[in-house]
Amino acid sequence: MEKYKENILDRIGIPHALAWGYLGILIFMMGDGVEQGWLSKYLIDGGLTEAESALVFTVYGVTIGISSWLSGVLSDMWGVRRTMFYGLIIYLLGVIGFVSIGLGGFNFALMLIMYGIKGFGYPLFAYTFLVWIAKKSPGSMLGKAVGWFWFVFTGGLSVLGAIYASWATTAIGYIPTLWSAVIWALIGALFALVFMKFKTKNETEKAPSEKATMNGLFNGFTIIKKEPKVGIAGIIRLINTITLFGFPVFMPLYMEGVGFTESEWLHIWAVAVGGNIIFNLIFGFVGDMIGWRKTIMWFGCVGCTITTLLFYYSAQIFPNNIIFVMICGFLWGMTLAGYVPLSALVPSLVKEEKGAAMSILNLGAGLSAFLGPAIIGIVYWLGGSGTVIIWTFAALYIITAFLSRFIALPEEKLGTPRQIRKLELAQLKLTEK
């Protein structure tokens, strides 16, 4: 059994060998978040129709989904560092192409291509680091380690990126703000790829042959046949964030209809996302203490079923009471984070092919960006309302509660991850004696 010497970072849940990587992801995602909240309006004001603007982000979502799946598969074949480096290069090409020749000539076709390339790049960088965490973190702290990942990922993308953009768009303009994403990406990569010296086994191997590459890609799906629990976990992850991507599509209009202004809705949404960011970290710790599957089932699946309905109906329970709606939104964001231990549980379901297992989880995360808006579009197309949408979301969360029963680890009968780790350390001390 490999020894793992802990320091203060390990005690708070950050594997010390990966610490520079966490900082790198935070800065990289801050750069990726500079356009959140204003790019769609900028494109429409520049001459695109609403449908064309939506298509740009749809293509972006498609490439994110594909790349999210590939992040795990390619990391198994090429090594984590190399895959992250390729992701960085693709991301930079996408950003530079989108800003220079896409927006430069306001060419719609080039916008689609270049923004799609940008979407293909960032998961190869960010989600591959999540695979690295899954491979190299001790089992007793894996829940906390992935919790910290989602904390820096979301914090960089939705908090620091938004704060920086609110200043930069006014101080230097929209186009320079987009260009600055290149700088932030390079700084993030400096920490994650240069300062961090932690190596994976695969990085010492030769580049794979064409046959090995194809087998590796195929293995990204055959892992479901080998371990069906991985496929079930992928479905749970797919449903996990449907409201995160669905709420911004229809909730602003709903909130306006019940008496809230656009500004008030934005404040409500900020509080809700803030709850998610905070508890992304907290539920990593909780999962290690009481068990990953138990945390997912009760705080994530059951919790989201209740808080999704509560968030929607809060404006009707106490009309025009923004504080109550904010509290309900915070609770929704909190329970949405209850699924965080999935990133610890899934790689633990397999012995060797952890990258392939994580690729299925990442695929679910990527495709979730489609499922939420797609449900809304289908309901409206069928003549349904916001009430039908919200109960559809709640029903899907109930389904995840049922599915979570089938993703138990064999080790669960021995106790929680923390208890198992204590047993391992006790056995190690006896062996050393």
Side-chain angles (χ1 to χ4, degrees), residues 151-194:
F151 179 81
V152 299
F153 179 95
T154 313
L157 181 67
S158 300
V159 179
L160 295 183
I163 293 172
Y164 167 74
S166 67
W167 168 83
T169 52
T170 302
I172 62 178
Y174 291 106
I175 296 301
T177 298
L178 290 174
W179 276 117
S180 68
V182 172
I183 298 174
W184 295 119
L186 289 173
I187 294 174
L190 177 68
F191 288 116
L193 300 180
V194 178

Side-chain angles (χ1 to χ4, degrees), residues 195-222:
F195 286 10
M196 188 166 55
K197 301 299 182 181
F198 199 68
K199 293 185 178 181
T200 63
K201 179 181 67 175
N202 285 351
E203 288 181 303
T204 63
E205 298 172 357
K206 296 180 180 179
S209 64
E210 182 178 347
K211 181 178 179 181
T213 299
M214 293 305 297
N215 288 339
L217 292 174
F218 186 67
N219 188 51
F221 286 109
T222 58

Side-chain angles (χ1 to χ4, degrees), residues 61-81:
V62 170
T63 57
I64 287 175
I66 296 171
S67 181
S68 297
W69 167 65
L70 287 174
S71 63
V73 179
L74 294 180
S75 68
D76 273 349
M77 295 190 299
W78 295 342
V80 172
R81 194 184 301 273

Side-chain angles (χ1 to χ4, degrees), residues 53-348:
S53 175
L55 184 58
V56 171
F57 291 97
T58 299
V59 171
Y60 182 66
V62 170
T63 57
I64 287 175
I66 296 171
S67 181
S68 297
W69 167 65
L70 287 174
S71 63
V73 179
L74 294 180
S75 68
D76 273 349
M77 295 190 299
W78 295 342
V80 172
R81 194 184 301 273
R82 185 185 301 176
T83 305
M84 290 179 69
F85 176 74
Y86 290 157
L88 170 68
I89 298 302
I90 294 171
Y91 176 83
L92 293 177
L93 289 175
V95 172
I96 293 170
F98 178 71
V99 180
S100 60
I101 62 177
L103 293 179
F106 228 78
N107 187 306
F108 177 59
L110 290 176
M111 287 183 200
L112 289 176
I113 295 171
M114 292 302 169
Y115 208 58
I117 291 174
K118 174 180 178 289
F120 195 88
Y122 99 70
L124 288 181
F125 185 87
Y127 287 164
T128 299
F129 181 70
L130 179 59
V131 176
W132 202 342
I133 294 171
K135 288 181 176 181
K136 294 301 176 179
S137 300
S140 61
M141 61 186 295
L142 186 52
K144 295 187 285 288
V146 299
W148 274 108
F149 169 83
W150 289 114
F151 179 81
V152 299
F153 179 95
T154 313
L157 181 67
S158 300
V159 179
L160 295 183
I163 293 172
Y164 167 74
S166 67
W167 168 83
T169 52
T170 302
I172 62 178
Y174 291 106
I175 296 301
T177 298
L178 290 174
W179 276 117
S180 68
V182 172
I183 298 174
W184 295 119
L186 289 173
I187 294 174
L190 177 68
F191 288 116
L193 300 180
V194 178
F195 286 10
M196 188 166 55
K197 301 299 182 181
F198 199 68
K199 293 185 178 181
T200 63
K201 179 181 67 175
N202 285 351
E203 288 181 303
T204 63
E205 298 172 357
K206 296 180 180 179
S209 64
E210 182 178 347
K211 181 178 179 181
T213 299
M214 293 305 297
N215 288 339
L217 292 174
F218 186 67
N219 188 51
F221 286 109
T222 58
I223 188 68
I224 297 176
K225 183 177 180 180
K226 295 177 183 177
E227 182 49 79
K229 292 180 181 179
V230 172
I232 294 173
I235 295 173
I236 294 174
R237 183 63 183 87
L238 171 64
I239 296 172
N240 172 197
T241 46
I242 52 172
T243 48
L244 182 65
F245 295 106
F247 276 167
V249 176
F250 84 100
M251 285 287 272
L253 293 176
Y254 166 73
M255 287 294 177
E256 182 180 350
V258 293
F260 291 104
T261 65
E262 179 182 344
S263 176
E264 287 174 329
W265 158 249
L266 290 176
H267 283 89
I268 292 169
W269 184 246
V271 170
V273 174
N276 178 250
I277 293 171
I278 294 170
F279 277 86
N280 278 338
L281 177 58
I282 292 175
F283 279 126
F285 284 78
V286 172
D288 283 346
M289 289 190 294
I290 69 172
W292 299 329
R293 188 178 68 92
K294 188 181 295 185
T295 303
I296 294 165
M297 175 182 286
W298 293 110
F299 290 102
C301 306
V302 176
C304 272
T305 303
I306 298 170
T307 60
T308 295
L309 294 171
L310 184 62
F311 190 17
Y312 180 81
Y313 285 107
S314 59
Q316 299 179 34
I317 297 172
F318 291 107
N320 300 315
N321 189 327
I322 191 172
I323 300 299
F324 181 69
V325 177
M326 282 182 172
I327 292 172
C328 295
F330 185 90
L331 292 174
W332 163 79
M334 176 188 75
T335 56
L336 198 69
Y339 290 87
V340 157
L342 272 172
S343 298
L345 189 149
V346 168
S348 301

Side-chain angles (χ1 to χ4, degrees), residues 328-370:
C328 295
F330 185 90
L331 292 174
W332 163 79
M334 176 188 75
T335 56
L336 198 69
Y339 290 87
V340 157
L342 272 172
S343 298
L345 189 149
V346 168
S348 301
L349 292 171
V350 296
K351 292 183 179 180
E352 299 294 335
E353 298 160 323
K354 296 184 182 297
M358 287 298 293
S359 72
I360 298 299
L361 196 67
N362 292 341
L363 177 62
L367 293 180
S368 187
F370 299 100

